[in-house]
Amino acid sequence: MSDSITSMLQENRLFEPSEHFRTHIGPIAVPDLKTYHEMYRKSIDDPGGFWGEIAKDFDWYQPWEKVVEWNLPDAKWFVGGTTNVCANCVDRQIKRGHGDELAILWEGEPCSPDPEIRRLTYLDLLREVSQTANALKSMGVKRGDVVTIYMGMVPELAIAMLACARIGAPHSVIFGGFASPAIVDRVQDAQSKIIITCDGSWRRGQIVALKKNVDDACEKLPEVKNVLVVRRTQSPITMHAGRDHWWHDLVPTQSPECPCEEMNSEDLLFLLYTSGSTGKPKGICHTTAGYMIYTAQTARVTFNLVPKHNHVFFCTADIGWITGHSYIVYGMLPNRVPTIMYEGAPNFPAEDRFWSMVARHKVTHFYTAPTAIRAFMKWGDEHPRKHDLSSLLLLGTVGEPINPEAWIWYHQNIGQSRCPIVDTMWQTETGGHIITPLPGCTPTVPGSCTLPAFGIDAAVVNEKGEELPANHGGLLVIRRPWPGMLRGIHGDRARFIETYWTKVPGMYIAGDGARRDERGYFWIMGRIDDVINVSGHRLGTMEVESALVSHPAVVEAAVVGIPHEIKGTGIAAFVTLSPHFKGATDDSLRKQLMEHVTKEIGPIARPDMIRFTMLLPKTRSGKIMRRLLRDIAVGKESTQDTTTLEDFNALAKLRESDE
Ligand code: PRX
């Protein structure tokens, strides 16, 4: 991405909010920049007043006594209050007379010739969620027990999450594209005793063997006592007597009545594992009231959601990532705007799948990742042109910096030059958007995520925490707590403090480089740690390295990110082989290693390039010189000082080695 980031630096096209948006979206939440600045000031100067006012709009059992308590690095929000997230997503809408309205619209991947569609109203959700909650109870799940969910994008996934929230059992959703070792690590770390899964899931016309992956994982997980299985693909699977239960046998026979647990504001709502700079993913903790209020508020304002304005929201993310948690499920349902869940790939059966869905469901809001946009560009303009996209009012992007070429293509070809684009910057840890334009309010510049969200005291600083002048690159930090912030890393207090709170003392460090321009707009310059962003998916280079060295042929491995036309960042691996390893030719071994990583982590971690080398370049203190490897991977003469290289031969050998 470095080339497109350089081009961002010169970007100065300014797009004012369009008249079309202003006249069609309904009332504008924040109508102009003056209002934004006033509201932003209040949110920073008086967080108690600002968030207290917003929280009044939710359903509580006990009101809070104090909005925020800040004891760095620990924040508590809505202290003393009790509520339930499921009640605010589902029951509240029914209580207010909206039970028959559409809550979730699901579309399956197979089209033969028409796709399967399910429409769930709030009343449907209440029944199915309550029955699922009772099924979980019947398997011994109690308040506080972590439920692991490893499913495809089927309605039962959202239902299972809401059922967990209803009974106060935190969920840990594992992306269905991960392989079985990833399940083992996460289940063990969370000490979870139950897994909800599917027989398989549909992806580009193929079946992903989810249940088989769970079975493999369970061989190493004697603590898992129950596995609940949704039948989706009808593929043959093995059901283990006593441990495995079919969803369709257990759930529909349960009572449709299940009262919500009265949860404390700071009770754990879910864990979501994400990659960091070590090989071990971290279980990010999000709690009840702060997360609920922050995601619903950011969804309402960033997307200008207005109930009963015929809005239909389509976020293309998988619920296995934070984007799906926050902006398919938890941020959407309290806003009473129908949310779409799509099961499969964007190019199945053809490259126009999303656009046919936009036309079919009259989608008004479309939210996707830059990597997807680059794929759409490559597939060609003719695909969106085949469909009626006139229902679209607003576009969004998330997951990685967007290159201006992709932004402009999205604006012209999908937004037909009338839809604002919100480039939303945030992270698993932040719960919801932290820097984003507000549509109808913020003029946008392609490639910039513009201004901080309400309550986010974002800044670009040096390592001492001093704010840098305009256009100086530095560290992105947040200097005050916000309701959606992570409350910790599950079971690892030291890592929580070390990762987020020590590099710049007293401030939350996001792990991204950034600059602010003279307008005050933020430009994200990419990760500053050993995390890479592959197709908008976060991966630790160490995770891929660990997977590689678990292969018997590999002694040592170093992984770096390299620019990739579609993925944004691709994966290059440098591998030293065991002298005892004989047999395979370079090409077949390269393939074997690629397969091995896919098996260990999942297809997203498959290296794009593997190079064999006798030695890896290291500093005298033994650190692998990653920047040097990156330069070699992209064929650049390195500008890096190599005088600390332990062995100059390593560099020469790498240059010689073929690809
Ligand atoms: O580097 C930033 C990038 O994605 C990282 C967070 O990844 P994850 O926790 O998986 O969450 C992704 C979805 C919220 C960030 O540290 N990132 C995310 N959104 C943007 C972005 N970089 C630039 N612009 C964005 N809009």
Side-chain angles (χ1 to χ4, degrees):
M1 287 298 292
S2 56
D3 294 342
S4 50
I5 282 171
T6 318
S7 70
M8 276 185 215
L9 298 175
Q10 280 101 44
E11 184 60 56
N12 52 17
R13 283 168 283 189
L14 191 74
F15 291 78
E16 294 288 345
S18 80
E19 244 352 271
H20 180 272
F21 177 81
R22 293 177 143 274
T23 45
H24 288 78
I25 193 74
I28 309 255
V30 183
D32 50 51
L33 274 180
K34 185 168 169 285
T35 314
Y36 161 80
H37 285 298
E38 282 165 13
M39 289 174 72
Y40 179 72
R41 231 350 46 229
K42 172 158 171 99
S43 74
I44 299 296
D45 294 344
D46 175 21
F50 184 87
W51 291 108
E53 204 47 48
I54 290 164
K56 279 192 201 146
D57 196 35
F58 290 76
D59 289 353
W60 297 83
Y61 303 106
Q62 289 294 327
W64 61 94
E65 285 148 18
K66 201 169 171 201
V67 174
V68 56
E69 220 174 80
W70 180 220
N71 202 346
L72 195 127
D74 299 306
K76 289 189 180 152
W77 284 87
F78 309 105
V79 185
T82 60
T83 183
N84 183 287
V85 173
C86 180
N88 276 283
C89 286
V90 182
D91 306 50
R92 153 197 166 96
Q93 314 298 9
I94 297 165
K95 265 200 279 175
R96 294 177 193 190
H98 306 292
D100 289 324
E101 290 177 19
L102 184 61
I104 296 179
L105 191 157
W106 173 83
E107 185 167 306
E109 188 192 74
C111 296
S112 47
D114 295 320
E116 190 185 342
I117 291 170
R118 272 182 73 189
R119 292 186 171 82
L120 293 156
T121 64
Y122 293 98
L123 277 165
D124 297 331
L125 263 186
L126 179 64
R127 188 185 61 254
E128 299 213 21
V129 166
S130 301
Q131 288 182 317
T132 308
N134 284 328
L136 291 174
K137 284 185 183 171
S138 78
M139 289 182 287
V141 176
K142 293 186 302 299
R143 180 179 173 137
D145 293 345
V146 178
V147 174
T148 297
I149 300 179
Y150 175 72
M151 300 171 80
M153 284 283 284
V154 287
E156 288 81 358
L157 166 53
I159 290 166
M161 291 162 75
L162 292 164
C164 289
R166 196 167 188 86
I167 60 172
H171 53 71
S172 163
V173 180
I174 303 175
F175 171 53
F178 280 130
S180 69
I183 307 176
V184 176
D185 292 347
R186 288 159 174 77
V187 167
Q188 278 171 345
D189 189 83
Q191 296 173 307
S192 176
K193 296 185 189 62
I194 174 165
I195 303 179
I196 310 180
T197 190
C198 303
D199 52 354
S201 70
W202 289 108
R203 184 81 195 166
R204 212 164 284 125
Q206 305 288 315
I207 292 172
V208 182
L210 297 177
K211 174 63 165 59
K212 167 81 172 65
N213 289 343
V214 169
D215 289 344
D216 292 349
C218 283
E219 283 179 18
K220 299 205 177 89
L221 296 169
E223 62 270 39
V224 172
K225 302 291 181 229
N226 289 285
V227 176
L228 182 61
V229 189
V230 172
R231 181 143 72 199
R232 170 62 190 143
T233 53
Q234 322 282 336
S235 37
I237 56 163
T238 317
M239 293 293 278
H240 295 251
R243 187 194 73 189
D244 298 352
H245 319 269
W246 281 113
W247 177 294
H248 58 258
D249 287 338
L250 191 63
V251 174
T253 55
Q254 303 291 322
S255 153
E257 308 271 324
C258 176
C260 292
E261 276 288 314
E262 184 175 336
M263 304 303 288
N264 295 316
S265 290
E266 284 299 333
D267 280 337
L268 187 64
L269 176 65
F270 65 83
L271 292 176
L272 184 58
Y273 285 83
T274 189
S275 298
S277 44
T278 74
K280 188 173 177 279
K282 22 185 198 190
I284 302 298
C285 300
H286 281 291
T287 56
T288 299
Y291 173 83
M292 166 177 84
I293 287 163
Y294 194 69
T295 51
Q297 148 77 7
T298 46
R300 189 178 73 77
V301 177
T302 308
F303 303 124
N304 208 103
L305 301 177
V306 188
K308 276 281 163 211
H309 240 267
N310 295 326
H311 290 175
V312 177
F313 191 90
F314 182 14
C315 166
T316 68
D318 191 290
I319 290 179
W321 306 101
I322 191 70
T323 306
H325 278 59
S326 297
Y327 299 112
I328 296 180
V329 183
Y330 290 123
M332 305 312 295
L333 295 173
N335 279 301
R336 199 154 56 79
V337 163
T339 175
I340 292 188
M341 269 181 86
Y342 169 55
E343 180 178 35
N347 54 353
F348 189 88
E351 285 78 2
D352 64 342
R353 181 61 186 261
F354 283 170
W355 321 126
S356 75
M357 287 181 66
V358 168
R360 186 157 44 251
H361 305 301
K362 302 214 168 9
V363 171
T364 50
H365 296 63
F366 183 77
Y367 190 33
T368 197
T371 185
I373 298 168
R374 289 190 294 269
F376 305 151
M377 287 170 78
K378 193 165 171 209
W379 294 338
D381 309 353
E382 63 274 23
H383 300 294
R385 241 186 284 125
K386 272 190 255 164
H387 297 276
D388 177 6
L389 305 183
S390 62
S391 57
L392 285 173
L393 296 173
L394 174 63
L395 304 177
T397 76
V398 56
E400 49 177 321
I402 183 164
N403 44 315
E405 307 73 41
W407 196 104
I408 296 288
W409 185 93
Y410 194 35
H411 179 68
Q412 292 175 343
N413 291 277
I414 308 304
Q416 302 177 332
S417 303
R418 63 163 197 272
C419 303
I421 296 179
V422 286
D423 173 355
T424 62
M425 161 63 188
W426 57 296
Q427 311 175 293
T428 308
E429 292 87 339
T430 67
H433 307 147
I434 53 166
I435 308 177
T436 177
L438 301 182
C441 169
T442 318
T444 48
V445 183
S448 168
C449 49
T450 76
L451 296 168
F454 296 132
I456 300 294
D457 186 13
V460 176
V461 300
N462 61 21
E463 277 174 1
K464 288 191 230 138
E466 295 158 345
E467 197 158 358
L468 296 173
N471 290 319
H472 280 65
L475 307 168
L476 178 65
V477 293
I478 307 178
R479 298 180 289 200
R480 264 167 248 241
W482 67 101
M485 70 190 278
L486 79 163
R487 302 299 199 266
I489 295 177
H490 182 65
D492 203 341
R493 175 83 181 162
R495 191 172 179 196
F496 171 61
I497 293 170
E498 153 68 23
T499 310
Y500 303 108
W501 303 99
T502 33
K503 291 194 184 95
V504 184
M507 300 178 190
Y508 169 85
I509 180 159
D512 283 288
R515 72 179 173 93
R516 269 188 115 157
D517 65 17
E518 45 293 307
R519 218 182 257 117
Y521 281 14
F522 283 84
W523 297 77
I524 306 301
M525 297 160 87
R527 300 288 308 189
I528 51 165
D529 49 13
D530 293 329
V531 168
I532 49 178
N533 207 321
V534 182
S535 302
H537 295 149
R538 190 162 148 182
L539 266 183
T541 49
M542 292 261 291
E543 285 172 80
V544 186
E545 289 165 5
S546 312
L548 283 165
V549 295
S550 73
H551 188 280
V554 178
V555 175
E556 199 175 26
V559 165
V560 294
I562 48 167
H564 187 285
E565 193 196 347
I566 302 289
K567 298 180 178 181
T569 305
I571 302 175
F574 292 84
V575 165
T576 48
L577 295 176
S578 157
H580 311 295
F581 188 79
K582 303 234 159 43
T585 61
D586 277 6
D587 266 352
S588 84
L589 184 58
R590 213 169 260 134
K591 270 209 200 92
Q592 263 186 44
L593 292 178
M594 287 181 175
E595 281 314 304
H596 181 72
V597 175
T598 309
K599 224 174 92 235
E600 288 294 306
I601 305 178
I604 56 165
R606 186 186 166 94
D608 297 281
M609 170 205 285
I610 294 183
R611 276 198 187 189
F612 299 119
T613 167
M614 306 285 282
L615 286 166
L616 289 171
K618 290 186 188 163
T619 61
R620 289 220 172 88
S621 61
K623 274 186 98 172
I624 293 175
M625 303 183 80
R626 289 174 189 283
R627 190 163 325 140
L628 194 74
L629 291 178
R630 252 192 309 269
D631 287 349
I632 293 169
V634 297
K636 250 204 247 167
E637 274 303 309
S638 181
T639 49
Q640 203 189 3
D641 179 16
T642 52
T643 50
T644 51
L645 254 185
E646 194 200 307
D647 183 342
F648 287 94
N649 283 335
L651 184 58
K653 297 230 168 72
L654 270 171
R655 286 245 160 80
E656 279 162 21
S657 72
D658 60 340
E659 235 159 70

